[in-house]
Amino acid sequence: MNIYDELGLPQLINAVGTYTVVGGSRMSPETLRCMNEAAAGFVEIEKLQHLLNDKVAQLTRNESAMLCNSCSSAIYLATAACVAKHYGRDFDTLSAEEISRCEVVALWGQHIPYDHAIEQLGVKIRFVGFPNMQAEMADQVVEKAINSNTVMSYFAPRTPDGYYGEGCMNLEKFIAISHRHHIPVLADGAAQLPPKHNLWRFTRDMGADMACFSGGKDLCGPQASGLLVGSREYLDAATSLSFPRYGCGRIMKIGREEMVALYAAIRQYVNADENKRLQWCETEVAKLVDALQECRNFSAERTWPNQAGQPLPRAFVTLKSDKISAAILRKMLLEGDPGIICYSENRPGVYINPMCLANGEMEKIIVRFREIDQQL
């Protein structure tokens, strides 16, 4: 019996994408095999860390890498490394007052709950700019925020390559401004995979000192895992503060199982055929679009890119009548058998995202839409 059946908890078809609230992504059989093997034996954790970090750095074409227990932990430890570098002392020797004087420059348009990982360290975030990232912004807006207490600049790309438009504060410009003032840059690419080249584009190609990614999203590693890559100078400092050492990162424990599984997932991800995956997603979207043509209450169209700006297609199912609202449609899909979770994003219909679907699940989604169409 499946563990969820034993618990009496119905499983869902994930048509939203790599959202944490539904478990992120699905680990492959190879990743699960490696995870189980790691759990069955004992090793020296620091030796395992060094070995896996070196291998992941090679896979991702970076100077250095660090496996940790979440992308938020990567942000926290990257910030701590920058604080230590700012003072030229071990982080553990710094007082709370010294840490509290430190500032991180970030953009208002990128303010999200996850940047609280910076403030949890005791560091202030100095937000600049406008709520709308599409608004033009002069370099001076960022430059004026940088001062003698600035230890890091933080940028959260929401499009491939961190591009928002001509005249906007794009990642490349943000890095250039920060580096003119000798301030290191962290690019938060938590959900910016695919494309897989972002694993090295933000750092090696564009010049960010560090970049972090969620291990449990498109990398398809354990949900409670994260990855920090970039400059050896900063990664060495971050690693020295991480579990299992006694310091500010001790509470962020990552087990041998998660480390080995994330390494296995990254290895598969880097070697995977992105074009084949893209074509599979296109085929799944086309199935839904074609299948709903005969429906009285629904129609579907292909949209691009997906909700996180990732270069993958989705389908948007539009309501053709006022017999049902988007909220009720979502409820009917979720309460079906199997339940299908999807989002509307404040539009009159629902998005169906194929990126986390397994073979055969789109056919089940089509059947459910047709059932609902007949009920209305």
Side-chain angles (χ1 to χ4, degrees):
M1 178 183 288
N2 180 283
I3 185 62
Y4 293 121
D5 293 334
E6 181 183 326
L7 293 169
L9 186 65
Q11 294 187 65
L12 301 173
I13 291 178
N14 178 2
V16 292
T18 57
Y19 284 91
T20 300
V21 292
V22 289
S25 55
R26 212 181 322 230
M27 286 187 279
S28 73
E30 170 65 10
T31 300
L32 290 169
R33 179 188 68 80
C34 293
M35 190 175 195
N36 286 334
E37 289 178 359
F42 297 98
V43 294
E44 290 185 47
I45 296 299
E46 287 195 46
K47 287 185 177 179
L48 178 64
Q49 280 182 319
H50 287 306
L51 179 63
L52 294 182
N53 287 347
D54 286 346
K55 288 184 176 294
V56 170
Q58 293 173 23
L59 285 169
T60 62
R61 309 181 195 183
N62 280 280
E63 278 188 13
S64 190
M66 184 188 74
L67 305 180
C68 54
N69 73 344
S70 69
C71 197
S72 292
S73 293
I75 295 170
Y76 180 96
L77 291 167
T79 306
C82 290
V83 170
K85 288 293 180 183
H86 175 75
Y87 282 109
R89 289 161 49 198
D90 289 343
F91 185 87
D92 293 339
T93 69
L94 300 174
S95 67
E97 183 181 354
E98 288 174 312
I99 295 169
S100 69
R101 288 201 293 266
C102 295
E103 296 182 356
V104 170
V105 173
L107 303 178
W108 265 120
Q110 296 175 350
H111 181 28
I112 52 176
Y114 307 113
D115 57 36
H116 288 310
I118 296 170
E119 294 177 312
Q120 284 175 337
L121 186 70
V123 172
K124 300 182 183 72
I125 303 178
R126 181 181 288 268
F127 287 108
V128 298
F130 316 102
N132 178 11
M133 279 299 296
Q134 299 299 326
E136 292 192 12
M137 186 189 304
D139 294 5
Q140 290 77 10
V141 175
V142 175
E143 288 183 321
K144 288 179 180 179
I146 296 173
N147 58 55
S148 60
N149 292 320
T150 306
V151 299
M152 187 179 82
S153 293
Y154 170 85
F155 191 98
R158 291 293 174 267
T159 60
D161 300 333
Y163 184 78
Y164 287 85
E166 292 295 332
C168 299
M169 186 53 63
N170 296 309
L171 177 56
E172 188 173 15
K173 183 186 292 187
F174 191 76
I175 292 171
I177 296 169
S178 299
H179 283 180
R180 280 203 299 269
H181 296 272
H182 309 291
I183 302 299
V185 176
L186 171 65
D188 179 358
Q192 289 310 308
L193 297 171
K196 64 183 174 185
H197 72 232
N198 278 350
L199 287 167
W200 56 87
R201 175 149 174 74
F202 293 151
T203 50
R204 191 196 68 177
D205 297 346
M206 300 185 73
D209 301 272
M210 294 172 285
C212 55
F213 302 91
S214 172
K217 293 187 183 296
D218 208 53
L219 284 174
C220 295
Q223 175 69 85
S225 67
L227 173 65
L228 183 67
V229 297
S231 162
R232 183 174 289 107
E233 176 186 6
Y234 290 99
L235 268 290
D236 283 352
T239 301
S240 72
L241 298 169
S242 68
F243 169 84
R245 300 152 197 87
Y246 293 104
C248 67
R250 172 72 185 187
I251 59 174
M252 299 167 182
K253 182 181 290 186
I254 178 170
R256 62 195 188 282
E257 304 89 353
E258 288 84 10
M259 286 190 284
V260 169
L262 180 54
Y263 160 66
I266 293 168
R267 182 176 60 191
Q268 294 166 73
Y269 193 80
V270 169
N271 293 320
D273 186 336
E274 279 190 316
N275 288 328
K276 183 178 180 181
R277 194 262 186 105
L278 172 61
Q279 289 307 311
W280 186 88
C281 289
E282 292 283 14
T283 298
E284 296 302 296
V285 167
K287 285 179 187 177
L288 183 62
V289 172
D290 292 343
L292 298 192
Q293 287 183 0
E294 303 302 320
C295 289
R296 294 169 300 168
N297 298 284
F298 308 119
S299 65
E301 63 178 344
R302 173 189 179 274
T303 65
W304 180 276
N306 69 15
Q307 74 284 350
Q310 299 157 334
L312 290 173
R314 290 189 295 175
F316 183 71
V317 179
T318 301
L319 302 175
K320 293 168 62 176
S321 71
D322 58 3
K323 295 180 181 179
I324 188 174
S325 67
I328 293 175
L329 175 58
R330 284 179 57 204
K331 187 172 185 290
M332 293 178 74
L333 289 167
L334 188 60
E335 294 178 349
D337 184 17
I340 301 162
I341 185 167
C342 55
Y343 291 158
S344 297
E345 298 176 22
N346 297 315
R347 292 193 61 193
V350 295
Y351 282 99
I352 301 296
N353 187 341
M355 71 183 298
C356 290
L357 297 181
N359 288 326
E361 289 187 329
M362 185 61 84
E363 284 75 8
K364 294 179 181 179
I365 292 172
I366 290 169
V367 168
R368 185 60 184 140
F369 270 111
R370 286 174 170 169
E371 289 175 348
I372 294 173
D373 188 57
Q374 291 299 314
Q375 294 171 19
L376 297 177

